[in-house]
Amino acid sequence: MDALMAQPYETDAASVSLLRSRETAVSQLAAHMKARSIDAMIYPTMPFQAPNASDAWPDVRTPLGYGNWLGLPEISVPAGYSADGMPAGNLSFVGLPGSDARLFALAASYEAASGRFRAPAL
């Protein structure tokens, strides 16, 4: 995050380039997903334990935020927990614009089948 605080997305050359090509990227992705009957992309959100609030932010080099960059709906669900009970290995479900309900259904099905979701203590 430090690098983006010094050079925000709006002035980062790669970010500006991606935003300019977003419409083309989304339409090509949609065509490929529809041609292959793919409802969602699923990938690790953060393939490591969630940091404590007092820890330094880890070097995140994952697809995290791919959906956000392209304006696609995305939901992240727990895929496991570390020894100290912190979430670890979350999965992201990313779909095309308008597929929000389908993504929620897929994520809920994964949570139910995996048994890895634990509601927080009240």
Side-chain angles (χ1 to χ4, degrees):
M1 281 310 281
D2 289 341
L4 290 176
M5 296 307 286
Q7 180 171 338
Y9 291 118
E10 294 84 2
T11 58
D12 177 65
S15 300
V16 171
S17 176
L18 176 64
L19 291 173
R20 287 186 182 139
S21 61
R22 179 178 160 217
E23 185 176 337
T24 300
V26 171
S27 66
Q28 288 179 359
L29 178 64
H32 287 289
M33 287 177 69
K34 288 176 183 175
R36 291 160 181 81
S37 300
I38 296 173
D39 290 331
M41 296 177 286
I42 303 169
Y43 52 75
T45 307
M46 292 175 48
F48 46 80
Q49 177 179 332
N52 291 315
S54 59
D55 293 345
W57 187 255
D59 184 8
V60 180
R61 294 180 191 262
T62 71
L64 176 65
Y66 178 74
N68 289 331
W69 277 90
L70 293 176
L72 303 174
E74 181 171 355
I75 185 169
S76 178
V77 297
Y81 294 89
S82 63
D84 64 358
M86 292 295 288
N90 292 358
L91 292 176
S92 281
F93 292 74
V94 180
L96 297 172
S99 67
D100 306 56
R102 179 71 177 137
L103 292 179
F104 276 109
L106 289 169
S109 293
Y110 169 79
E111 286 182 335
S114 72
R116 300 213 174 157
F117 175 73
R118 294 190 311 236
L122 296 177

